[in-house]
Amino acid sequence: MNPIAFIRKNILALQPYSTARDDFKGGDISVWLDANESPYSNGVNRYPDPHQRKVKEQVAALFGAPAESIFLGGAGSDEAIDLVYRIFCTPGCDNAVAITPSYGVYRVAADINDIKLREIELDPGFGLPVDRILDSTDSLTKVIWLCSPNNPTGNAFERADMLRIADRFNGMVVIDEAYADFSSRGSMINDIATHPNIIILRTFSKAWGLAGMRCGMAFADPRVIAYFDRVKYPYNMSSLIQQELLRRIAEGTGNHIAETVAERNRVASALACAPCVDTVYPSEANFLLVKVSDPDRIYRLLTDNGVIVRNRSRLPMCDGSLRITIGTPDENTRLINLFSKFER
């Protein structure tokens, strides 16, 4: 399957913005008079590397993927989500398919790009409805969005089911792995080699604790990544962010992932015993979806006591549910104590 066949014709013909430093090949330059920058050094007077070469080398080593298969975005995974629509979907014509409930930016980005999004409810128990997803596609469906582990349900889908969708769908399948570091199922980055219509999204916001830096990643067939690089704006990641990413990658995540998983299990067990809790859904992410007896009252109790969670009870299949991020051990204990005080 050739993923280039799914790219919009105008994108295939696009001539990307080219800097003078892209055009220059070889030589040792010490005087930079090509980009109308300030010549007065202050650490950020020069434009950043638009290709983020050094960072991509480290990301490649970190994830075991070729550097040419990596896109880095300066607005978290959201930049990559927007680029998928812009590269593969013709506005006012094409459509995409997503599961629901799931990450809301898939719809927001679809609306911005004038792409109709068809949302397919998960199976009971939040299972992946493979056949219903495939049956909802037509000749104008260019993208299928899958989030695994899924937000807000927390469960991860079977790799075989997602590959079955990729095998049978004549378009791009985007698998959002923002929470994969907390899951026992691992990543599907290696499946890109045999399924070039798969795009994997990752982020430094969650397990790496770098949400304020806004850096996301897309992994795909190098032919697809080449068009990500053509369509993105030239300097989409500042030099300061690139430098800080190199430092943080060298430091690693420490024991934060293991501690978060352990705390997730502790909080799940404790909340399951609270009188106001009906169900604590299994999670492979850094949050729990919890069905409660009175979500609005419990939400107010928490906020009145300085604790904020996400009320997801208006979403499909999430009636009566709160999404609770796993915090520090002290923060989690505070949450548990508040739940225990709420009378059903």
Side-chain angles (χ1 to χ4, degrees), residues 153-199:
T153 60
N155 61 310
F157 303 122
E158 294 289 343
R159 172 175 170 271
D161 287 340
M162 291 186 281
L163 288 179
R164 186 149 62 98
I165 290 173
D167 283 332
R168 293 173 56 187
F169 176 55
N170 193 36
M172 302 303 295
V173 178
V174 184
I175 302 173
D176 190 341
E177 294 185 346
Y179 302 95
D181 293 294
F182 305 102
S183 173
S184 60
R185 294 180 183 268
S187 174
M188 292 182 63
I189 288 175
N190 290 335
D191 290 304
I192 292 169
T194 54
H195 294 76
N197 65 326
I198 286 179
I199 298 172

Side-chain angles (χ1 to χ4, degrees), residues 35-55:
N36 300 337
E37 304 152 315
S38 170
Y40 302 105
S41 179
N42 61 10
V44 289
N45 59 303
R46 300 296 182 186
Y47 284 111
D49 174 9
H51 306 293
Q52 307 112 6
R53 294 176 179 87
K54 291 182 180 179
V55 181

Side-chain angles (χ1 to χ4, degrees), residues 3 7 30 38 42 72 90 96 100 102 117 122 142 151-152 194 209 221 233 236 254 282 299 310 325 332:
I7 294 176
S30 58
S38 170
N42 61 10
L72 296 179
T90 301
T100 189
S102 196
L117 185 66
L122 295 172
K142 301 301 172 63
N151 174 14
T194 54
D221 184 288
Y233 289 107
N236 66 325
Y299 180 84
R310 194 78 187 269
T325 304
N332 297 331

Side-chain angles (χ1 to χ4, degrees), residues 48-234:
D49 174 9
H51 306 293
Q52 307 112 6
R53 294 176 179 87
K54 291 182 180 179
V55 181
K56 284 183 179 178
E57 288 176 4
Q58 295 305 308
V59 171
L62 186 66
F63 288 93
E68 60 270 20
S69 70
I70 300 167
F71 165 79
L72 296 179
S77 299
D78 297 344
E79 182 176 353
I81 292 169
D82 180 64
L83 284 172
V84 167
Y85 283 120
R86 289 161 60 193
I87 292 168
F88 295 101
C89 299
T90 301
C93 175
D94 292 333
N95 67 75
V97 171
I99 55 175
T100 189
S102 196
Y103 185 40
V105 171
Y106 308 142
R107 169 158 292 285
V108 172
D111 291 344
I112 291 170
N113 286 280
D114 194 18
I115 305 300
K116 183 178 180 181
L117 185 66
R118 301 172 176 175
E119 295 180 314
I120 308 302
E121 278 198 3
L122 295 172
D123 284 339
F126 303 138
L128 189 65
V130 174
D131 290 332
R132 286 195 289 116
I133 288 172
L134 292 167
D135 289 345
S136 71
T137 66
D138 57 31
S139 62
L140 295 178
T141 307
K142 301 301 172 63
V143 177
I144 293 175
W145 299 97
L146 304 174
C147 186
S148 181
N150 187 39
N151 174 14
T153 60
N155 61 310
F157 303 122
E158 294 289 343
R159 172 175 170 271
D161 287 340
M162 291 186 281
L163 288 179
R164 186 149 62 98
I165 290 173
D167 283 332
R168 293 173 56 187
F169 176 55
N170 193 36
M172 302 303 295
V173 178
V174 184
I175 302 173
D176 190 341
E177 294 185 346
Y179 302 95
D181 293 294
F182 305 102
S183 173
S184 60
R185 294 180 183 268
S187 174
M188 292 182 63
I189 288 175
N190 290 335
D191 290 304
I192 292 169
T194 54
H195 294 76
N197 65 326
I198 286 179
I199 298 172
I200 302 292
L201 303 185
R202 297 293 291 257
T203 182
F204 283 102
S205 294
K206 311 299 181 183
W208 285 82
L210 304 178
M213 284 175 55
R214 308 307 300 128
C215 179
M217 298 162 279
F219 296 81
D221 184 288
R223 292 170 292 179
V224 171
I225 294 300
Y227 282 91
F228 271 76
D229 290 337
R230 286 192 185 193
V231 175
K232 78 173 182 70
Y233 289 107

Side-chain angles (χ1 to χ4, degrees), residues 12 15 19 31 66 73 86 100 119 121 128 133 187 244 254 269 291 328 340:
L12 288 172
Q15 293 299 313
T19 70
V31 178
R86 289 161 60 193
T100 189
E119 295 180 314
E121 278 198 3
L128 189 65
I133 288 172
S187 174
E244 185 66 8
S269 297
K291 187 172 184 178
T328 66
S340 66

Side-chain angles (χ1 to χ4, degrees), residues 32 46 99 109 121 151 219 238 248 262 277 279 286 299 337:
W32 301 92
R46 300 296 182 186
I99 55 175
E121 278 198 3
N151 174 14
F219 296 81
S238 75
R248 298 296 184 122
V277 172
T279 307
N286 68 334
Y299 180 84
N337 290 338

